[in-house]
Amino acid sequence: MNNFCRKFFFLKLFRNNGEIFCRQFSNSHISLKSKSSFNIIHHLRCKEVRFLHTGVGLRTANTGQELLESKEENSDSQQNDELDFKVAKYADLATDLEIKKKILMILMEHEVSKLEGRKVPSKISIEEMRELLSTYSYSSRVKYMRFLAEKELKRIAERRRKETRVIEREKWLIEKENLKPVEHIQYGIGHNTMILRVRRSSIFRYAYQRLANSVLYGQKFVVDMDFDCFMRKQDCNNCGEQLLELYSANRKNAYPFDLTFCNADLNSPTMSAFRKYMPNLYAPDNFITVTDLSYLDIYPKEKLVYITPYAKEPLKVYDHNAIYIIGGLVDKCIREPVVLAKAKREQIRAVHLPYDEYLMWGRGNKSLPLNHLLDILLEMKNTNDWKKAFKYVPQRKLVRSLDLYAEYS
């Protein structure tokens, strides 16, 4: 009977509206009086019912897991929507999920620092967020936010001063209109005067005229901008500030150089900082040549002279026909003579300024800021006197008289 039941009986149990049915699929008539047949059917039914209950439990567990997964997906999608909404201002920077999370973390740090009473800016711009994303520690972000807060306070104070001056001038104009005309001449500010007022725009036009003459007839001066790979981010910003001071010192001089920035990448950190400090860089009256070409492609090699403190040959006599080159870098953390190595690699004459013959140098290296170096060369160009030229060397670099007295006493 066991074999017979295995061959001709198929019990199919299925669930319909919570009820369990047993269906018989067979063309043969089988007597159900036999105990063995009842036992077999009962045994099969119990197995199927147990299997059914197990399947129902598994399906219930699977359904619960699917619900949890769907809830997690919904929560993830909701979190992504909230994240997108919070970083919508910085959509250009949020290229992937990790950057979005870091932007959200920076915004949370900004809010927490504000609640703790620290100096933080009221808002974070896109450029400032780009700078914060490049930092890798919490302390550096806190310092940068403090720096931004101080800049914002300075801007607010300057705006208030301007508003105060405007209000005071309006009051002064009202008082001036209400004054009765006098019979005799009144001298002083706001009254009759014999002195012609020289305006700021007139001074600038005069300086630009000198720069135009230097482009036509003046001596060439090159700043090599090929050292960004050796500097840190803050050094590049500092170099951009020094380049602005260099341009200002050259413009104020009576006989300026014709400035040329060679090997300049406009997207480099130094040039980006320089353009930030000098927005009118490409104005037609600035007379600065900015090019990505090398000085070897523009000027003859025999006229090029590289100035670096690591060179062995001193610059004893100033040559008015030479084209002097300085490296556009801030070497606070650079221990290797990268400028001298480049001059040797390109087979260019390298010299150093004769500090030891005229000065008592103190501690530290003999590298000077770019604007001070240009001031020294401008003074040598105009007076040909090293003693007058070295007055632009900062006093912190030299041995003080008290230290010298203490050393020899």
Side-chain angles (χ1 to χ4, degrees):
M1 185 62 187
N2 293 335
N3 296 330
F4 181 80
C5 288
R6 290 193 190 98
K7 291 181 180 179
F8 296 100
F9 277 88
F10 301 93
L11 293 176
K12 182 178 182 182
L13 297 176
F14 60 93
R15 188 182 183 196
N16 187 12
N17 297 327
E19 297 179 357
I20 300 174
F21 297 93
C22 177
R23 181 171 295 176
Q24 179 181 352
F25 295 94
S26 176
N27 295 326
S28 303
H29 176 71
I30 301 174
S31 176
L32 298 178
K33 295 180 180 180
S34 173
K35 293 182 179 180
S36 60
S37 62
F38 280 110
N39 293 333
I40 291 170
I41 294 172
H42 180 70
H43 181 68
L44 292 173
R45 182 179 292 178
C46 290
K47 281 187 174 181
E48 293 294 332
V49 170
R50 285 197 301 270
F51 176 75
L52 178 63
H53 285 298
T54 305
V56 171
L58 290 173
R59 284 197 298 273
T60 305
N62 292 333
T63 305
Q65 186 177 1
E66 290 175 357
L67 289 174
L68 290 174
E69 290 178 355
S70 63
K71 287 182 180 179
E72 290 177 357
E73 290 177 357
N74 293 331
S75 64
D76 292 340
S77 62
Q78 187 177 1
Q79 289 178 359
N80 290 332
D81 294 338
E82 293 178 357
L83 193 61
D84 293 337
F85 176 74
K86 290 180 180 179
V87 302
K89 180 181 177 181
Y90 314 101
D92 296 337
L93 303 178
T95 55
D96 55 6
L97 184 60
E98 294 296 329
I99 298 180
K100 288 182 181 179
K101 290 181 179 179
K102 190 169 182 181
I103 292 174
L104 183 61
M105 180 189 68
I106 292 172
L107 294 176
M108 291 176 64
E109 291 176 356
H110 176 259
E111 292 296 330
V112 171
S113 300
K114 188 185 295 184
L115 293 174
E116 290 178 353
R118 297 179 180 176
K119 288 185 178 180
V120 292
S122 58
K123 295 180 181 179
I124 301 177
S125 64
I126 297 177
E127 292 296 328
E128 294 167 354
M129 180 59 72
R130 182 180 286 109
E131 183 67 24
L132 288 170
L133 287 173
S134 63
T135 59
Y136 297 98
S137 63
Y138 173 73
S139 60
S140 60
R141 288 193 291 271
V142 169
K143 291 179 182 178
Y144 186 67
M145 286 186 184
R146 188 187 307 121
F147 168 71
L148 295 177
E150 292 174 356
K151 286 182 62 177
E152 185 177 4
L153 291 175
K154 289 180 180 179
R155 288 196 299 267
I156 293 172
E158 183 63 26
R159 184 167 62 249
R160 288 177 180 174
R161 283 195 295 268
K162 288 182 179 179
E163 292 174 356
T164 304
R165 286 197 295 266
V166 169
I167 294 172
E168 291 177 354
R169 179 168 178 80
E170 290 177 354
K171 291 181 180 179
W172 178 78
L173 290 175
I174 293 173
E175 293 176 358
K176 183 180 178 182
E177 291 178 356
N178 296 330
L179 289 176
K180 295 180 180 180
V182 294
E183 297 179 356
H184 59 86
I185 298 176
Q186 285 187 338
Y187 294 101
I189 299 175
H191 302 285
N192 300 321
T193 179
M194 298 175 60
I195 301 173
L196 180 63
R197 182 179 179 182
V198 180
R199 300 183 180 273
R200 187 185 180 97
S201 58
S202 301
I203 298 174
F204 281 171
R205 282 198 298 270
Y206 181 61
Y208 293 148
Q209 182 63 37
R210 291 200 301 259
L211 289 176
N213 292 333
S214 69
V215 172
L216 295 175
Y217 313 109
Q219 187 177 3
K220 311 298 180 183
F221 188 84
V222 178
V223 181
D224 189 5
M225 305 297 298
D226 196 20
F227 299 99
D228 283 55
C229 57
F230 299 100
M231 292 187 291
R232 301 171 299 175
K233 179 68 176 179
Q234 54 268 35
D235 293 336
C236 292
N237 292 332
N238 192 4
C239 186
E241 293 180 2
Q242 292 185 16
L243 290 175
L244 179 63
E245 295 292 335
L246 179 143
Y247 169 75
S248 178
N250 186 64
R251 185 183 63 184
K252 293 177 182 178
N253 197 272
Y255 303 98
F257 285 113
D258 178 20
L259 291 181
T260 303
F261 292 176
C262 292
N263 298 315
D265 184 8
L266 299 180
N267 298 322
S268 63
T270 303
M271 288 302 299
S272 299
F274 183 46
R275 283 187 292 146
K276 181 177 69 174
Y277 296 127
M278 189 174 178
N280 58 340
L281 175 62
Y282 300 107
D285 53 357
N286 280 334
F287 299 102
I288 301 178
T289 304
V290 181
T291 178
D292 57 350
L293 298 176
S294 175
Y295 37 80
L296 296 174
D297 301 330
I298 304 174
Y299 305 111
K301 183 185 290 188
E302 59 272 9
K303 287 188 177 182
L304 299 177
V305 179
Y306 226 122
I307 299 178
T308 171
Y310 297 99
K312 296 182 179 180
E313 180 185 354
L315 181 62
K316 295 183 179 180
V317 179
Y318 185 87
D319 189 1
H320 293 268
N321 295 322
I323 301 174
Y324 291 103
I325 310 171
I326 60 172
L329 79 163
V330 175
D331 54 353
K332 290 184 178 180
C333 296
I334 303 174
R335 304 302 179 189
E336 296 81 10
V338 293
V339 177
L340 180 62
K342 184 177 182 183
K344 288 184 177 180
R345 186 168 59 251
E346 295 176 346
Q347 297 180 358
I348 298 175
R349 180 191 171 197
V351 297
H352 70 268
L353 300 182
Y355 299 122
D356 298 333
E357 299 180 9
Y358 298 92
L359 301 175
M360 296 188 65
W361 201 268
R363 296 180 180 179
N365 58 11
K366 297 181 180 179
S367 298
L368 295 179
L370 302 181
N371 54 320
H372 292 172
L373 189 58
L374 183 76
D375 286 330
I376 292 172
L377 294 175
L378 283 171
E379 190 67 28
M380 274 300 299
K381 178 167 145 331
N382 299 333
T383 63
N384 201 19
D385 188 352
W386 284 113
K387 292 183 179 180
K388 292 183 179 180
F390 284 146
K391 68 180 180 181
Y392 294 102
V393 176
Q395 294 298 317
R396 66 179 185 275
K397 295 280 189 179
L398 306 178
V399 176
R400 297 180 299 175
S401 58
L402 294 178
D403 298 338
L404 190 64
Y405 176 78
E407 183 178 356
Y408 289 98
S409 61

